[in-house]
Amino acid sequence: MKSELRVGVAGLGTVGASLVRLLRRKADSFAARCGRPVTVTGVSARDRSRDRGIDLSGTAWFDRAEDLAVSSDIDVFVELIGGDNGPAEASVRAALAAGKHVVTANKALLARHGVELARLAEENGVSLAFEAAAAGGIPVIKAVRESLAGNDISRIYGILNGTCNYILTRMEQEGLDFSECLADAQRLGYAEADPTFDIEGFDTAHKLALLTSLAFGNEIDADAIYIEGISSITRADIEAATELGYRIKLLGVAQKTDSGIEQRVHPTMVPRASAIARIDGVLNAVAIDGDAVGEVVLVGPGAGGNATASAVLGDIADIARGLAIPALGRPVGKLSPYKAARMRMHEGGYYIRLAVYDRPGAFAEIARIMAGEGISLESIVQRDRTRRVGDQTPHGDTPQPVILITYETTEAAVKRALATISAQNVVAGTPQLIRIEKLG
Amino acid sequence: MKSELRVGVAGLGTVGASLVRLLRRKADSFAARCGRPVTVTGVSARDRSRDRGIDLSGTAWFDRAEDLAVSSDIDVFVELIGGDNGPAEASVRAALAAGKHVVTANKALLARHGVELARLAEENGVSLAFEAAAAGGIPVIKAVRESLAGNDISRIYGILNGTCNYILTRMEQEGLDFSECLADAQRLGYAEADPTFDIEGFDTAHKLALLTSLAFGNEIDADAIYIEGISSITRADIEAATELGYRIKLLGVAQKTDSGIEQRVHPTMVPRASAIARIDGVLNAVAIDGDAVGEVVLVGPGAGGNATASAVLGDIADIARGLAIPALGRPVGKLSPYKAARMRMHEGGYYIRLAVYDRPGAFAEIARIMAGEGISLESIVQRDRTRRVGDQTPHGDTPQPVILITYETTEAAVKRALATISAQNVVAGTPQLIRIEKLG
């Protein structure tokens, strides 16, 4: 058996503590699989005195992650601090420069500095591994980078944020409002006190940026991602989706188009019968469309201490076994520059919910404007079921909800049409717009 | 860029032809991912004159696979011949002995000789890779062997045969008989002229034997697998399953128990809401229960030329990138001997369909016998809906279908109870028994 692999763990929150615990409990079985013992020889965290339920008395303690990163007593530096700068960034850079392998779960850091860090790893002949950064326990990084290496991928998409999926699932299953579900998610620890990062889609965007690079071989560009969160989704949208045979999911989608790569995060109508529609609660799922394999879908826990630690352990096992592969699947010099497709060029179907004033000709006006933009309507549903579309009996000035489903069209056409409709004084408030994703 | 990797392909059926085609079409993108060009330099098949839609004029032809296997012009030998002996076995052995890496999709060969071949690969310092052998395009081998290396796996199970899943799906969705669906599957090319290997569960068993070894670190033992196929499943069973909230799937299940490892292939009742219940048609799916990650489910195409070639390409990419990992996840010397749990020790719920003669006391007798074996019944359903359970009005001597669902019990108790019931002359024919799998 080869010599011991020595691991330093920076950040002892839920994932860090789980990792230390698992590495100890599984010392023998993990060594059998890796062909050598793997031991935690050093740790670092902010507060030394905090009780984490693990005995750290025999393990070297470092107050500063940067010091652990360059310690001569570690071979692998595991960064679980979080954040796209500060000690996380500094310690990862220091570790790579010192010739240590790095394993990280830090999507924010990689979304911002991934290419640079991959280059640093390459220059120093070490691994930069991040299976835990994209969909928690789901082995999607390895699947895209290695197993599906023979595929030209046309699209990769998924449910990458458990908080959002939990909220949307409960809204649908229990007929609740967004705010009620968010409050519950916070109470159960599925959402942060400040939930913006999750519910507004930024977390999904960071993960998507990594998957995009691996799938298409381009440089990471998280800033180019079109992002909409789920806070605008109402019960009316969820009910309409159900009625129309869809479910609403927050998807991250990266897709090759003729004009470049689309990266988008937004609430999405997915057909009820699709695999992705059936992912409930805090689960994550990623679907990969490859030209050889067809579609592969991976489902599992996207967060949680042990599940995330499982992904970190997979990366450590690779390093212990001597498997060296470029962080982004190919040498940094072989990555292509990211070429963004413009969001207004996006093609797809649209769900549009309007609050239409009950005036003669209002419908005709809306239909005329849509037709003027070349948009064909698949269906028009008036949500007040006691009335039929086109009824023009006076009803006071209360706007009536009307839902349009378009056939495939462009984002630009839809946006222009909605701007024109809004200017005509036939609808109240801002129209709701949810994109429909075409799934096989 | 490193030097070219030279590939020899033996067997030019659907998968082999797809592989050659894909490797040519993707030469550039695949080279970028692998860090070196990958070229088919030699091929072998039985009939040189057959038109396979690929131009082989510039590629060395070998009439005998064994000659290609040891050719000095190849670095990797891809075996797509099939069969657990003959030229497939001989050529794989020859290639490994000659220091060539081997990639194979041959589950039958590995189920029988896998450990021996893994040892041969080890002794010669080469890879033996077989992602295509377990669930076609689904990257399950790599997931279990590498990504989930930090997990102690308690169970791995899945739908591993598309033919069976296609037949069961159509039986359910269209209310057809087994024989009609089989005939359709044969007409569509989803089933062979002699379908025994698929429908009687042998193909699933071969794949399961490989997954079991990877999941639990034991030697492969396909002979120890308990096997039942799907030919005994009737419309009555499918209808009862639907009514009771289940679907019937042919599962391969490997599970750790206190007395050893259970490996079993049989029609299984799975809860309608479970992920595995929702896999329709020719798709495959594998679920892995790990102590750290929880449950991960992988879904995708289990067969087909391009999908299988995708898995082969993934293995070739690993070899091109210099990733060397023991074929069975650990050195052969570290595999534990396979310790089988006895099937009669299996614990679970059971679906039992009996044809009960309409005689006073028949029900009481059956209930008494079940109770005598310590079996508790969750439900008793008399399938003739015009009558209630326990009705003893004379009805001629026509046996009436009765369905029992048991709580968790042992296989031994159920088998004894059924033997006793059969001996009492209260039921006609052989009772139908389908195991219920507990899913999270």
Side-chain angles (χ1 to χ4, degrees):
Chain A
M1 200 174 269
K2 275 184 284 184
S3 65
E4 180 188 59
L5 185 77
R6 301 163 309 163
V7 177
V9 179
L12 292 173
T14 319
V15 179
S18 287
L19 177 65
V20 173
R21 206 174 298 120
L22 288 168
L23 267 173
R24 286 184 182 165
R25 200 178 75 204
K26 293 166 174 291
D28 292 345
S29 63
F30 198 55
R33 287 184 208 124
C34 295
R36 62 201 286 199
V38 177
T39 317
V40 177
T41 50
V43 294
S44 169
R46 262 186 301 207
D47 180 1
R48 188 166 187 171
S49 63
R50 200 177 129 204
D51 181 14
R52 299 173 171 90
I54 42 176
D55 177 11
L56 296 171
S57 56
T59 311
W61 177 275
F62 293 78
D63 285 323
R64 295 177 68 246
E66 297 90 317
D67 296 335
L68 172 59
V70 300
S71 158
S72 60
D73 290 334
I74 69 163
D75 306 303
V76 182
F77 178 69
V78 179
E79 186 271 305
L80 301 169
I81 302 165
D84 65 0
N85 52 28
E89 187 194 357
S91 61
V92 166
R93 284 186 191 278
L96 294 172
K100 314 288 186 189
H101 301 289
V102 169
V103 178
T104 177
N106 191 333
K107 44 225 147 228
L109 177 68
L110 293 169
R112 186 164 161 199
H113 301 294
V115 173
E116 217 181 315
L117 295 174
R119 186 181 289 117
L120 196 54
E122 210 171 289
E123 286 166 1
N124 288 278
V126 290
S127 289
L128 170 64
F130 56 94
E131 183 65 82
I138 303 177
V140 61
I141 301 287
K142 217 174 169 71
V144 175
R145 194 182 56 187
E146 300 163 39
S147 304
L148 302 179
N151 286 265
D152 290 308
I153 294 172
S154 55
R155 179 172 59 169
I156 183 164
Y157 64 96
I159 294 171
L160 300 172
N161 183 277
T163 309
C164 290
N165 207 50
Y166 172 83
I167 292 173
L168 291 172
T169 303
R170 286 208 55 197
M171 283 179 75
E172 183 190 331
Q173 290 179 349
E174 299 170 43
L176 299 174
D177 281 328
F178 172 79
S179 55
E180 296 173 77
C181 295
L182 172 59
D184 271 359
Q186 287 172 317
R187 207 160 25 75
L188 292 165
Y190 294 154
E192 310 276 341
D194 176 0
T196 314
F197 195 69
D198 288 319
I199 65 169
E200 294 307 342
F202 301 116
D203 174 71
T204 299
H206 285 161
K207 294 167 180 170
L208 181 66
L210 306 181
L211 294 178
T212 305
S213 171
L214 286 163
F216 303 133
N218 57 263
E219 292 172 359
I220 298 166
D221 191 348
D223 295 334
I225 299 178
Y226 176 86
I227 306 177
E228 270 177 37
I230 63 165
S231 54
S232 71
I233 301 297
T234 66
R235 265 158 68 171
D237 296 322
I238 303 263
E239 282 163 19
T242 302
E243 207 165 298
L244 294 160
Y246 292 99
R247 297 186 73 183
I248 300 175
K249 296 291 182 187
L250 182 74
L251 292 194
V253 183
Q255 184 171 15
K256 259 190 199 157
T257 75
D258 292 340
S259 62
I261 293 169
E262 271 184 17
Q263 284 188 102
R264 46 195 168 84
V265 173
H266 51 70
T268 312
M269 296 267 180
V270 292
R272 245 195 131 61
S274 63
I276 215 82
R278 293 159 165 180
I279 307 301
D280 286 334
V282 295
L283 278 182
N284 282 18
V286 187
I288 305 144
D289 294 339
D291 64 340
V293 76
E295 181 164 281
V296 169
V297 183
L298 315 179
V299 183
N306 281 339
T308 308
S310 164
V312 172
L313 285 169
D315 284 342
I316 294 175
D318 277 359
I319 292 166
R321 285 161 162 169
L323 307 188
I325 191 156
L328 297 172
R330 59 187 80 194
V332 169
K334 295 274 180 193
L335 293 170
S336 53
Y338 180 75
K339 183 174 178 244
R342 295 219 227 134
M343 195 58 196
R344 61 187 189 79
M345 306 282 281
H346 170 68
E347 293 179 11
Y350 290 79
Y351 157 102
I352 298 163
R353 180 167 51 78
L354 302 168
V356 180
Y357 287 118
D358 218 359
R359 287 170 198 157
F363 267 113
E365 184 62 10
I366 291 166
R368 190 191 58 75
I369 293 168
M370 300 300 275
E373 291 294 348
I375 300 168
S376 304
L377 298 176
E378 187 183 306
S379 62
I380 306 181
V381 182
Q382 182 150 350
R383 290 284 299 150
D384 179 348
R385 292 320 213 64
T386 60
R387 314 178 68 240
R388 283 184 328 229
V389 170
D391 275 3
Q392 299 297 345
T393 43
H395 206 86
D397 227 15
T398 320
Q400 300 298 316
V402 171
I403 285 156
L404 314 176
I405 300 287
T406 78
Y407 281 108
E408 189 149 304
T409 178
T410 65
E411 180 96 2
V414 167
K415 288 289 176 74
R416 275 195 307 265
L418 291 185
T420 311
I421 289 168
S422 293
Q424 298 300 302
N425 208 23
V426 291
V427 298
T430 311
Q432 171 71 301
L433 179 157
I434 302 177
R435 292 165 195 85
I436 300 170
E437 190 74 16
K438 220 180 185 170
L439 301 176
Chain B
M1 198 173 269
K2 275 185 286 186
S3 66
E4 178 188 60
L5 184 78
R6 301 163 307 163
V7 176
V9 180
L12 293 173
T14 319
V15 180
S18 288
L19 177 66
V20 173
R21 207 174 296 121
L22 288 168
L23 268 173
R24 287 187 182 162
R25 201 178 72 203
K26 293 166 174 290
D28 292 345
S29 62
F30 197 57
R33 288 183 207 125
C34 296
R36 60 200 284 200
V38 177
T39 317
V40 177
T41 49
V43 295
S44 167
R46 259 185 305 207
D47 180 1
R48 187 165 188 173
S49 63
R50 202 178 124 203
D51 181 14
R52 299 172 173 90
I54 42 176
D55 176 11
L56 295 171
S57 55
T59 311
W61 177 275
F62 293 79
D63 285 323
R64 296 177 67 246
E66 297 92 315
D67 296 335
L68 172 60
V70 299
S71 157
S72 59
D73 290 333
I74 69 164
D75 308 301
V76 182
F77 178 70
V78 179
E79 185 272 305
L80 301 168
I81 302 165
D84 65 0
N85 52 31
E89 186 194 358
S91 61
V92 166
R93 285 186 190 276
L96 294 172
K100 314 289 185 187
H101 302 290
V102 169
V103 178
T104 176
N106 190 333
K107 45 228 148 222
L109 176 67
L110 293 169
R112 186 166 163 197
H113 300 295
V115 174
E116 217 181 315
L117 295 173
R119 185 181 291 114
L120 196 55
E122 210 171 291
E123 288 167 357
N124 289 280
V126 290
S127 289
L128 170 64
F130 55 93
E131 184 65 81
I138 303 177
V140 61
I141 301 287
K142 214 171 173 74
V144 174
R145 194 182 57 187
E146 299 163 39
S147 304
L148 302 178
N151 286 266
D152 289 309
I153 293 171
S154 56
R155 179 172 60 171
I156 184 165
Y157 64 96
I159 295 171
L160 301 171
N161 183 277
T163 308
C164 289
N165 207 49
Y166 171 83
I167 291 173
L168 291 171
T169 303
R170 287 209 55 195
M171 283 178 76
E172 183 192 331
Q173 292 179 348
E174 299 171 44
L176 300 175
D177 281 328
F178 172 80
S179 55
E180 294 172 77
C181 295
L182 171 59
D184 271 358
Q186 287 173 316
R187 207 160 24 78
L188 292 164
Y190 295 154
E192 310 276 339
D194 177 358
T196 313
F197 195 68
D198 289 318
I199 64 169
E200 295 307 343
F202 302 117
D203 174 70
T204 299
H206 284 161
K207 295 167 179 168
L208 181 65
L210 305 181
L211 294 177
T212 305
S213 172
L214 286 163
F216 304 132
N218 57 262
E219 291 172 359
I220 298 166
D221 191 348
D223 294 335
I225 299 178
Y226 175 86
I227 306 176
E228 271 178 33
I230 63 165
S231 55
S232 72
I233 301 296
T234 66
R235 264 160 69 170
D237 296 320
I238 302 264
E239 281 163 20
T242 302
E243 207 165 298
L244 294 159
Y246 293 99
R247 296 185 75 183
I248 300 174
K249 296 291 184 186
L250 183 74
L251 292 193
V253 183
Q255 184 171 17
K256 259 191 198 157
T257 75
D258 292 341
S259 64
I261 293 169
E262 271 184 14
Q263 285 188 101
R264 46 195 168 83
V265 172
H266 51 69
T268 311
M269 295 268 180
V270 293
R272 244 196 131 61
S274 62
I276 215 82
R278 293 160 164 179
I279 307 301
D280 287 333
V282 294
L283 278 183
N284 281 18
V286 186
I288 305 145
D289 295 339
D291 63 343
V293 76
E295 181 163 285
V296 169
V297 183
L298 314 179
V299 183
N306 280 340
T308 308
S310 164
V312 172
L313 286 169
D315 284 342
I316 293 175
D318 277 359
I319 291 166
R321 285 160 161 170
L323 307 188
I325 191 155
L328 298 170
R330 59 187 79 196
V332 169
K334 296 275 180 191
L335 294 170
S336 53
Y338 180 75
K339 184 173 177 247
R342 296 220 225 133
M343 195 58 197
R344 62 189 188 79
M345 306 282 281
H346 170 67
E347 291 178 12
Y350 290 79
Y351 157 102
I352 299 162
R353 181 167 51 79
L354 302 169
V356 181
Y357 286 119
D358 218 1
R359 288 167 195 157
F363 268 112
E365 184 63 10
I366 289 167
R368 191 190 59 74
I369 293 168
M370 299 301 275
E373 291 292 349
I375 300 168
S376 304
L377 297 177
E378 187 184 305
S379 62
I380 306 182
V381 182
Q382 181 150 348
R383 290 285 299 153
D384 179 347
R385 294 319 214 61
T386 60
R387 315 178 67 240
R388 283 186 328 235
V389 170
D391 277 3
Q392 298 297 341
T393 44
H395 206 90
D397 227 13
T398 320
Q400 299 297 315
V402 172
I403 285 156
L404 313 177
I405 301 286
T406 78
Y407 282 107
E408 189 150 301
T409 178
T410 65
E411 180 98 0
V414 167
K415 288 289 177 72
R416 276 195 307 265
L418 292 185
T420 310
I421 289 168
S422 292
Q424 297 300 301
N425 208 23
V426 291
V427 298
T430 311
Q432 171 72 300
L433 179 158
I434 302 177
R435 292 165 194 84
I436 300 171
E437 191 74 16
K438 220 182 186 167
L439 302 177

